[in-house]
Amino acid sequence: MAGFAPNNTPFPPLVAAHDGSNFTYTSLHDRVPHILTDVINDFYAAVQRTDSVDAVAEGKQLTGLLSKLKHEMVTDKPLTPLDDDGTGDIAEWNHWLAEYFSGGTWYSTPFLAWETYMYRRIATIFRKSQFWNTYDYFATKKEDTFRASMVAVAKLCARVDALTQETVADLGNSTKQHLAFVEMLQASLWGNQTDLSMFPDLSNEKLEEMQARISSGENNSKLAANDTDRIWKIVSQVHGGRVDIVLDNSGFELLQDVLLAHWLVAAGIAAKVVFHPKRIPWYVSDVTNTDFHWLVDAIQSPASVGATGLSTADERVLQGLGARWNELLNAGVWELHDELFWTGPYGYRYLPTKGADVWAGLTNSDMVIFKGDLNYRKLVYDLQWPVSTPFVDAIGPIADDPTAPAIVALRTSKCDTIAGVEPQRANELFAQRKDWMYSGEYGVIQLSPGRWANRI
């Protein structure tokens, strides 16, 4: 689309409504300040646990900076330049802010702009510190939630372990392989419901109910768009290829993504899987390198993270999978690439220009799977698209690039921006519930075929 710029878009961006009537306003007024309050409270507790007088003193200063950030947000102050924390991306962040949103306030700046800015600024506060620069202010919530769900984790792992063995035992059975892929893809999609920024109170029971809906096919009625059959036409042609997964949430969703990667390698579809986590703590539950390795180690040794309620059979399955995943990591079959672009200010239509090195790597892949709501919002740039706008049009240059891999979006919708939904289907969903686009209960499986377009 000609003339596209962060502050000059073909359709209006999501901005907080003055009358408080939209989800952007609710997020800015209620949900996100609550998240920031949780960060402050969690950090205060961490400061109280340390014996270092200097760390306590610095902790008080950082708490003051976090409180200042929250005050600026709730009182609609302008977004200010970020302090350089040595990470390597601050100059780009501040150029973006000055170029496109100079003088913009929290309530006048687009949702995607102020929300990503907030998480980057939180990271800056900690990374500039002496004693707390590696502190993950979301780690406790992420790890506690996964630890508490280990019974559901064990059941899921046993199911996928059996499914994988069935696939490997009958690799010539394309129908069986197709059905297994559909189940794995849907599990990865619906795992995105375990987003701690939206649903902080997850339990074994809720996770088991979610998994039962996936296995039974009940969740199919909650799909706003479903390109699974077209995706399979590509996957079925890939043998010993490369698949990239741009990760979203840690914990149970990450487990679903890892299990998908496990199946893809075992089935001979992928000889390499590249995971893309975040380099800094991000959006409460987003995966960092540390989160990824913590999960693999927790699967291999559940007792090491205090897991309880597991049978001997459960532990045997988990230990076997964890050991296999560490082998894949050590062998380089699985890789982690935590590029800074994923926590930068630009949407993904700018990958070929603002993230050229990242894009060059992605074009070596057969398929890139973008997980979750934020990655989707960055793909379509968080605009008020007419819902029937083709997905390939909404993501722009990365769909049109002749070197583009197949791009798959797996997203449960938690924000009121969406594209690629047939008008009749959208009308049905609006009739069911007005908030379907941001309820977190409906999902999309969407495809931009890229260079595979003439082969499906």
Side-chain angles (χ1 to χ4, degrees), residues 26-194:
T26 301
S27 294
L28 182 53
H29 189 263
D30 300 316
R31 184 176 62 85
V32 176
H34 182 75
I35 290 171
L36 192 46
T37 299
D38 284 347
V39 171
I40 294 169
N41 291 340
D42 179 83
F43 181 55
Y44 176 82
V47 170
Q48 299 308 304
R49 291 192 296 267
T50 184
D51 296 327
S52 168
V53 174
D54 291 337
V56 169
E58 186 179 55
K60 292 179 180 178
Q61 295 173 358
L62 301 186
T63 301
L65 293 173
L66 292 168
S67 298
K68 180 175 183 288
L69 171 59
K70 181 181 176 183
H71 175 76
E72 290 177 12
M73 179 192 304
V74 300
T75 57
D76 196 26
K77 296 293 190 292
L79 277 61
T80 57
L82 297 169
D83 293 333
D84 193 347
D85 60 8
T87 302
D89 60 345
I90 296 301
E92 182 172 63
W93 264 99
N94 285 338
H95 176 267
W96 168 86
L97 192 62
E99 179 75 12
Y100 302 113
F101 301 109
S102 179
T105 68
W106 292 84
Y107 278 80
S108 67
T109 302
F111 192 174
L112 190 61
W114 65 254
E115 194 174 28
T116 51
Y117 166 86
M118 183 200 75
Y119 284 104
R120 189 62 188 90
R121 186 162 156 190
I122 294 172
T124 299
I125 289 171
F126 284 96
R127 292 177 80 86
K128 281 177 57 65
S129 68
Q130 179 181 353
F131 297 99
W132 302 96
N133 62 329
T134 61
Y135 176 72
D136 183 347
Y137 28 91
F138 298 131
T140 299
K141 187 182 290 289
K142 289 185 285 190
E143 293 175 6
D144 285 353
T145 301
F146 189 76
R147 188 182 293 111
S149 65
M150 285 299 285
V151 172
V153 164
K155 289 184 178 181
L156 172 63
C157 286
R159 165 61 184 158
V160 173
D161 187 47
L163 188 66
T164 303
Q165 291 182 40
E166 291 172 12
T167 301
V168 172
D170 197 6
L171 285 175
N173 190 327
S174 60
T175 300
K176 184 180 290 186
Q177 196 173 65
H178 181 198
L179 292 173
F181 173 74
V182 170
E183 180 173 337
M184 297 303 304
L185 193 71
Q186 288 233 2
S188 182
L189 162 66
W190 296 111
N192 182 237
Q193 288 184 316
T194 61

Side-chain angles (χ1 to χ4, degrees), residues 355-417:
D357 291 345
V358 180
W359 182 243
L362 295 179
T363 60
N364 292 322
S365 187
D366 293 291
M367 177 173 290
V368 181
I369 300 172
F370 286 88
K371 288 301 308 295
D373 195 66
L374 176 61
N375 282 323
Y376 189 92
R377 292 168 61 195
K378 283 200 159 191
L379 279 169
V380 305
Y381 225 75
D382 222 21
L383 304 183
Q384 296 178 45
W385 296 101
V387 295
S388 61
T389 304
F391 178 65
V392 292
D393 291 351
I395 68 175
I398 60 174
D400 302 334
D401 190 320
T403 67
I407 291 173
V408 173
L410 302 180
R411 178 229 193 175
T412 56
S413 187
K414 308 178 190 102
C415 181
D416 44 357
T417 183

